[in-house]
Amino acid sequence: MSLIIGIGGGSGAGKTTLANRLKEILKDDLTIIQFDNYCVDHSNLPMEERCKVNYDVPSAYDGKMLLDH
């Protein structure tokens, strides 16, 4: 049986810690996909503008790319 578990929360909420603990328990039965790897590309912005990007909002991430993968 396949199961998808989504772990949500703001920066520093413990999402990665929880995911890593689950990995310790479930071992090879768990694959972790980090949404942080799907940030919207802001490389076209000057560095001072990139520093202002808020990564605590859903629009900072490319959900479509995640689903496509």
Side-chain angles (χ1 to χ4, degrees):
M1 175 168 103
S2 294
L3 180 66
I4 296 175
I5 301 171
I7 304 171
S11 296
K15 301 177 296 293
T16 300
T17 300
L18 176 57
N20 290 337
R21 181 67 182 117
L22 289 171
K23 183 69 174 175
E24 289 175 9
I25 295 166
L26 299 172
K27 304 201 182 330
D28 291 336
D29 291 330
L30 178 70
T31 300
I32 297 174
I33 301 171
Q34 294 184 341
F35 203 29
D36 286 349
N37 295 333
Y38 292 90
C39 292
V40 172
D41 180 14
H42 295 290
S43 62
N44 62 316
L45 296 176
M47 185 56 73
E48 56 273 3
E49 291 300 313
R50 279 189 254 168
C51 292
K52 297 176 187 176
V53 174
N54 181 357
Y55 291 99
D56 285 330
V57 295
S59 61
Y61 298 91
D62 191 341
K64 182 183 179 322
M65 184 189 305
L66 172 65
L67 292 174
D68 288 346
H69 288 164

